[in-house]
Amino acid sequence: MKKVLIIGNGAREHVIAETLLRSSHQTSVITYGSATNPGLLQLSTAYEVGSLSDFDNLKDFANHTKPDFAIMGPEAPIAAGMADMLLATGIKSASPLKVSGALESSKSFARDLLQKYNIPGNPAFKVFYKSEGIREFMEKLGGNYVVKSDGLKGGKGVKVSGDHLETISDGVSYAEECLREDGKVVVEEKFIGQEFSLMSFVDGKTVVSMPAVQDHKRAYDGDKGPNTGGMGTYSCADHSLPFLRPSDIQDAHDINVQVTKALYEETGVYFTGIMYGGFIACKDKVGLIEYNARFGDPEAMNVLPILKTDFVDICLATIEGSLDGMQIEFEKKATVCKYIVPEGYPDSPVKGEKIEIGSIPDGVKTYYASVDQREDGLYLGGSRAIAFVGIADELDEAAALATSAMDSVRGPVFYRKDIGTKELIQKKMDMMTGLRSC
Ligand code: GLY
């Protein structure tokens, strides 16, 4: 019997629970989250609602429920040292300790690590501790710059010239704001290309990569509108993406391998958990945009439903350092995940309105996120509400399945219609062909 403690309460944690419960081990899950997720609640034998930063409360819950191991969904608890705290009470985690979680929680740490260990993937970059030199560096980059707040900002810390910042003066002002908050800021060259996520299971020495996934950050069709936590993602049956060359995936995997080794050399601590590289296929190389130390959301909903290998065994191997020699397999299926979100999301989302889900076709998985289950039905919580994942042999089939589930939802909501469609994929392929042929 294995009892697993899940930290978090989103759709990502819902799919983590579902995948753990598919294990051939007799498994139960218990959840500690900041709100009640109706899907997770149904799957959990115990569910504690509390602040993710209230380690005393979590410790009491863990002492009372005695899980065999824990897994953390969101980044903030990892950055705050939750795995360290649980370890001190005798509970290991399939998530990294604070020191190796710095790969995500400090943008400068990640850039410096790649540079120090000669790992490819870095853009031209500089870490600034005061504002002198920032303008000159942005000018040297030809005005094509990215400003990254060093610490975690819930996905809102990165601003890009041309997208969020019009002029170099705008960039300098934002960099100064970051300096006031964190005492340091990263300014770097803007990569041009197509982004993709490559997540790997890592036990500190062995790195096993999952199918590549592409996320869509913008709120509206055509990659327009404000940035969001991610409106949807897709992955293909061949575990690559239509605009990638096989060498792109190999290069990204190799970067994850080299970073795993470098992290141990640098910190003396093995990175155990999910290493999520946010990569970009550029004209003649693969660039590293940033690292996360956890499953992506929505990316987890693409890869976990098609994971064939026992997820409890993978988590245990991650913790015990025995991933080497383990055969990890995914079904050869295409997946399209789309989030249904409240009208007004992300800037002024409606909240507390009722929604109704109609009939969901076979081949679609449903994962709850920010929704409240009341006696008379489901109500919007004010953020991404429900993720639907279409799973099929072909990408457009998977997209159509997800779309049909989205269309069944009644209420003040919207979703992106273009994710995973032939038209949008073709645009991305044309963009890469143009970039790589010039
Ligand atoms: N999909 C982006 C993230 O999980 O951070």
Side-chain angles (χ1 to χ4, degrees):
M1 177 76 186
K2 297 287 172 207
K3 188 189 280 186
V4 188
L5 168 61
I6 296 177
I7 307 293
N9 49 274
R12 167 182 50 200
E13 290 74 33
H14 187 179
V15 73
I16 288 174
E18 181 197 71
T19 314
L20 287 166
L21 291 173
R22 282 201 275 120
S23 169
S24 60
H25 298 273
Q26 213 187 340
T27 302
S28 62
V29 299
I30 55 174
T31 301
Y32 184 88
S34 57
T36 304
N37 173 319
L40 259 174
L41 183 67
Q42 210 178 18
L43 299 180
S44 305
T45 53
Y47 197 122
E48 174 77 6
V49 176
S51 161
L52 297 191
S53 55
D54 186 349
F55 282 13
D56 288 338
N57 190 23
L58 171 61
K59 205 157 131 183
D60 286 348
F61 181 60
N63 283 334
H64 178 66
T65 48
K66 301 198 182 337
D68 291 283
F69 66 89
I71 180 163
M72 278 136 231
E75 59 275 24
I78 296 171
M82 190 181 275
D84 308 57
M85 182 280 284
L86 287 172
L87 186 60
T89 70
I91 300 161
K92 294 183 178 171
S93 297
S95 298
L97 296 174
K98 182 175 179 165
V99 67
S100 29
L103 196 58
E104 173 166 11
S105 62
S106 169
K107 304 301 169 212
S108 60
F109 175 85
R111 286 286 178 234
D112 287 341
L113 189 81
L114 264 73
Q115 178 163 279
K116 179 169 172 187
Y117 290 87
N118 288 318
I119 301 170
N122 263 349
F125 79 100
K126 271 191 181 178
V127 182
F128 291 92
Y129 296 82
K130 49 188 172 48
S131 58
E132 277 74 43
I134 292 181
R135 177 177 295 277
E136 290 71 18
F137 187 57
M138 287 176 175
E139 281 167 2
K140 197 171 153 203
L141 296 175
N144 294 315
Y145 64 84
V146 179
V147 180
K148 287 184 172 170
S149 158
D150 192 59
L152 294 180
K153 294 286 176 305
K156 296 193 171 70
V158 178
K159 295 201 189 233
V160 181
S161 65
D163 286 346
H164 317 98
L165 302 165
E166 292 289 314
T167 62
I168 287 188
S169 294
D170 292 343
V172 174
S173 299
Y174 178 59
E176 286 172 343
E177 191 184 312
C178 295
L179 277 174
R180 283 193 292 278
E181 278 180 29
D182 294 321
K184 56 180 160 175
V185 62
V186 182
V187 180
E188 57 188 48
E189 170 195 0
K190 177 177 164 180
F191 284 127
I192 308 291
Q194 281 295 327
E195 295 183 21
F196 64 101
S197 310
L198 192 73
M199 301 183 291
S200 308
F201 297 110
V202 177
D203 69 358
K205 291 167 285 187
T206 301
V207 176
V208 182
S209 292
M210 306 179 214
V213 182
Q214 190 175 45
D215 192 8
H216 298 73
K217 294 266 187 221
R218 300 300 192 113
Y220 312 136
D221 282 5
D223 287 327
K224 299 212 167 57
N227 268 343
T228 68
M231 292 295 286
T233 33
Y234 67 92
S235 65
C236 299
D238 65 357
H239 298 168
S240 183
L241 293 164
F243 52 84
L244 292 180
R245 304 187 284 221
S247 62
D248 295 324
I249 300 271
Q250 188 60 47
D251 290 350
H253 172 78
D254 288 347
I255 292 173
N256 284 357
V257 170
Q258 291 177 66
V259 165
T260 299
K261 192 161 175 278
L263 265 175
Y264 181 64
E265 281 180 36
E266 186 65 15
T267 65
V269 171
Y270 287 125
F271 180 104
T272 53
I274 308 303
M275 184 178 288
Y276 160 169
F279 293 101
I280 181 162
C282 302
K283 179 174 163 54
D284 46 20
K285 65 173 181 183
V286 165
L288 183 267
I289 298 173
E290 64 178 10
Y291 266 112
N292 297 320
R294 51 164 175 91
F295 276 113
D297 182 352
E299 287 91 334
M301 278 82 82
N302 296 90
V303 297
L304 289 178
I306 59 165
L307 177 64
K308 285 166 75 176
T309 310
D310 193 309
F311 189 34
V312 170
D313 283 340
I314 296 175
C315 291
L316 289 171
T318 300
I319 290 167
E320 287 157 6
S322 55
L323 270 181
D324 185 23
M326 193 170 178
Q327 204 58 38
I328 296 183
E329 287 182 87
F330 292 84
E331 283 176 65
K332 295 271 183 194
K333 291 278 185 193
T335 65
V336 174
C337 174
K338 297 193 193 207
Y339 262 116
I340 201 119
V341 301
E343 277 175 7
Y345 175 81
D347 297 330
S348 49
V350 298
K351 200 176 164 177
E353 297 282 331
K354 191 171 181 189
I355 56 168
E356 278 168 43
I357 305 177
S359 95
I360 305 297
D362 287 346
V364 175
K365 309 278 268 177
T366 304
Y367 300 106
Y368 292 102
S370 178
V371 278
D372 302 325
Q373 176 82 62
R374 299 186 198 160
E375 268 186 19
D376 65 336
L378 282 176
Y379 286 78
L380 292 168
S383 190
R384 292 180 296 179
I386 302 174
F388 292 105
V389 187
I391 303 174
D393 290 330
E394 301 295 334
L395 199 54
D396 52 349
E397 238 181 290
L401 281 170
T403 299
S404 123
M406 314 299 283
D407 283 339
S408 83
V409 180
R410 297 280 162 260
V413 291
F414 74 97
Y415 70 92
R416 268 188 67 166
K417 296 205 164 35
D418 60 348
I419 295 170
T421 58
K422 277 200 169 118
E423 296 71 28
L424 191 61
I425 304 284
Q426 191 59 49
K427 266 193 200 159
K428 290 168 191 287
M429 289 168 70
D430 291 347
M431 188 263 187
M432 276 317 284
T433 309
L435 189 66
R436 287 186 156 164
S437 63
C438 65

